[in-house]
Amino acid sequence: MNDLLLNKVHDESRQGEAYAPDVVTGDYSRRFYIESYGCQMNFSDSEIIASILQEEGYGATRIVEEADLVLLNTCSIREKAEQTVRKRLGEFRHLKQKKPGMLVGMLGCMAERLKSQLLEEEKLVDLVVGPDAYRTLPSLISQADDGQKAVNVLLSREETYADIAPVRLNTNGITAFVSIMRGCNNMCAFCVVPFTRGRERSRDAYSIVAECRDLAEKGYREVTLLGQNVDSYYWQHPETGENVTFAMLLDRVARISPLLRVRFSTSHPKDITDEVLFTMAAHENICKYIHLPVQSGSTRILQLMNRTYTREWYLAKVKRIREIMPDCGISSDIIAGFCTETEEDHRDTVDVMEKSAYDFSYMFMYSERPGTLAARRYVDDVPADVKKRRLEEIVATQNRLSLESNQKDIGKTFRVLIEGDSKRSKQDWMGRNSQYKVVVFPKMDRQLQPGDYVDVQIHSCTQGTLLGNLIG
Ligand code: 5AD
Ligand code: SF4
């Protein structure tokens, strides 16, 4: 069984996706190929990397054999993610033998975690570049061209790549991701991110709004504001001293155009404020959906995880969200089998899931990561088969909750943003409602296209999809 189980296919379906703009133009003398793993932040970073390389005269390709520069933008969140990348590096070995001069670069979180160790142990890697060092890629490439070791894993307290206009890769032209902050200061005991992505810093609010406006002008209909912990976004103008909180930023982005939907991810339950919830409620185009990872439903485990809230506090937050926005979708991340977790702790997790009535969840078995607080302080003592069984119970619970949530939507009418053809049939459109649920409906003979908003009445559902018909 996978260490990751999603009851909803989301970005995980894109792991290892080869990334290039849809139309590759220009007479480039060198081409790069990039594969991205991990979270949406990493996919968003790949768009910054592409922009830096294009400035240097590199063209993108989706065909690895065509590339002079092969890049893996990697993830360290669970051991499995690192194993996948190591396997992939092995596959590039004979490619490198066939094509002398081809460079292979390891970027992102795994580069940051393993540093120059990678150059020594894996003779396959020519470049190692951490998440805050992408501006130095051009000089690192020339070093590697000269046969030198090229490593830059310095973390920064300031870098936000605010001035770099990302090159949109694999885009549907409708939905885009905009990075608003980098790093994380939370120190959850299980998590490698504070070590791989460094201290938290917020991006210039004006550059964020400008990027979103530019997307809206290009016809995009949805932006997702990205950060490890968006609710602690806080930016101060260096000259005027003006302060911008996350709620203020949301408000500014929402005012760009009523046709531009606004989403955000990820929220830490301890930081999401009433001000944010009221801002969401005040704007029709801020989607009514919050990803609010609980991680565990046991107060004792939450304490060990350093999450800084109790199960009661979390449940009160869910209640508050529903008070202010009764129709708000809520999803979660859940870890099964964290250090010392007992059956009772596990039952508490299932109980919080029931009480929160999540629409969907991302569910994982605990995977110890070297260097984290948990790895240093606690023993990873829940046996693999127990972790697996608990994860299965968590997944079964979520599958039922997802189905129940979707069944409640039968008969309702939702405003849906069309994203493209349904995966199953070209006769159907696929889009999402405000709550982030996938809605599939027949095209009929209406002249519609991706990016259009339509009203769809739901007549039936599966666990992962709402099915309906156009109305009006
Ligand atoms: N083991 C298992 N899952 C983890 N996550 C983060 N670190 C670990 C780990 N060591 C999960 C958390 C987080 C999501 C992105 O990945 O649930 O919210
Ligand atoms: Fe993976 Fe976390 Fe790094 Fe994202 S920030 S790539 S999830 S380790």
Side-chain angles (χ1 to χ4, degrees), residues 68-283:
D68 309 288
L69 177 61
V70 175
L71 301 173
L72 291 175
N73 195 0
T74 62
C75 172
S76 287
I77 198 103
R78 283 166 291 273
E79 198 182 347
K80 176 94 185 306
E82 292 200 357
Q83 282 165 358
T84 310
V85 166
R86 283 184 187 276
K87 204 168 133 239
R88 197 71 183 118
L89 275 180
E91 288 165 14
F92 290 148
R93 184 195 301 268
H94 64 275
L95 204 66
K96 216 165 146 49
Q97 281 161 354
K98 269 199 289 189
K99 201 169 172 183
M102 182 186 103
L103 297 178
V104 175
M106 165 96 78
L107 316 180
C109 290
M110 205 173 154
E112 191 63 49
R113 198 179 80 73
L114 297 169
K115 304 190 166 58
S116 53
Q117 192 186 323
L118 280 166
L119 290 175
E120 277 122 48
E121 76 181 66
E122 309 266 356
K123 294 275 180 287
L124 306 165
V125 178
D126 307 291
L127 292 156
V128 178
V129 192
D132 286 346
Y134 298 143
R135 282 182 205 269
T136 64
L137 260 171
S139 65
L140 292 168
I141 293 167
S142 8
Q143 275 178 38
D145 275 338
D146 294 344
Q148 298 169 45
K149 287 184 178 176
V151 187
N152 188 348
V153 287
L154 285 177
L155 287 173
S156 158
R157 279 175 181 258
E158 289 93 36
E159 182 62 273
T160 58
Y161 302 109
D163 56 314
I164 296 179
V167 172
R168 303 289 160 191
L169 302 168
N170 296 16
T171 177
N172 58 7
I174 311 297
T175 57
F177 294 88
V178 175
S179 164
I180 65 163
M181 60 200 299
R182 300 180 72 80
C184 184
N185 287 354
N186 281 335
M187 287 297 191
C188 298
F190 49 78
C191 190
V192 79
V193 174
F195 306 96
T196 60
R197 286 189 167 263
R199 305 288 292 174
E200 181 182 292
R201 66 223 95 119
S202 296
R203 176 179 168 190
D204 179 327
Y206 288 91
S207 80
I208 297 169
V209 174
E211 186 177 327
C212 294
R213 181 169 294 123
D214 180 58
L215 285 163
E217 281 163 6
K218 290 190 171 121
Y220 282 81
R221 289 281 185 263
E222 188 179 290
V223 289
T224 303
L225 307 180
L226 285 181
Q228 302 297 344
N229 184 11
V230 288
D231 299 280
S232 64
Y233 176 89
Y234 181 76
W235 181 75
Q236 212 169 20
H237 195 293
E239 277 134 39
T240 64
E242 174 195 13
N243 300 318
V244 184
T245 62
F246 182 57
M248 291 158 80
L249 180 72
L250 262 183
D251 182 76
R252 290 185 193 185
V253 176
R255 286 175 195 279
I256 291 172
S257 161
L259 287 179
L260 186 71
R261 276 182 169 181
V262 187
R263 299 187 183 278
F264 55 88
S265 186
T266 295
S267 295
H268 193 301
K270 79 175 163 59
D271 292 319
I272 189 162
T273 58
D274 272 8
E275 198 194 351
V276 165
L277 301 180
F278 285 125
T279 307
M280 290 176 75
H283 292 277

Side-chain angles (χ1 to χ4, degrees), residues 1 4-7 334 346 350 353 361-364 388-402 463:
M1 189 176 71
L4 157 84
L5 273 172
L6 293 163
N7 81 318
I334 298 162
H346 168 62
V350 174
M353 294 176 71
S361 291
Y362 302 93
M363 297 158 281
F364 317 94
K388 182 170 175 269
R389 197 251 309 142
R390 289 184 189 163
L391 179 63
E392 281 166 357
E393 285 172 15
I394 287 169
V395 169
T397 304
Q398 185 55 57
N399 286 347
R400 178 170 49 73
L401 292 173
S402 297
Q463 177 197 300

Side-chain angles (χ1 to χ4, degrees), residues 358-377:
Y358 296 129
D359 297 298
F360 54 97
S361 291
Y362 302 93
M363 297 158 281
F364 317 94
M365 279 193 272
Y366 173 59
S367 159
E368 184 177 86
R369 308 308 296 129
T372 55
L373 288 182
R376 282 183 279 143
R377 284 191 198 155

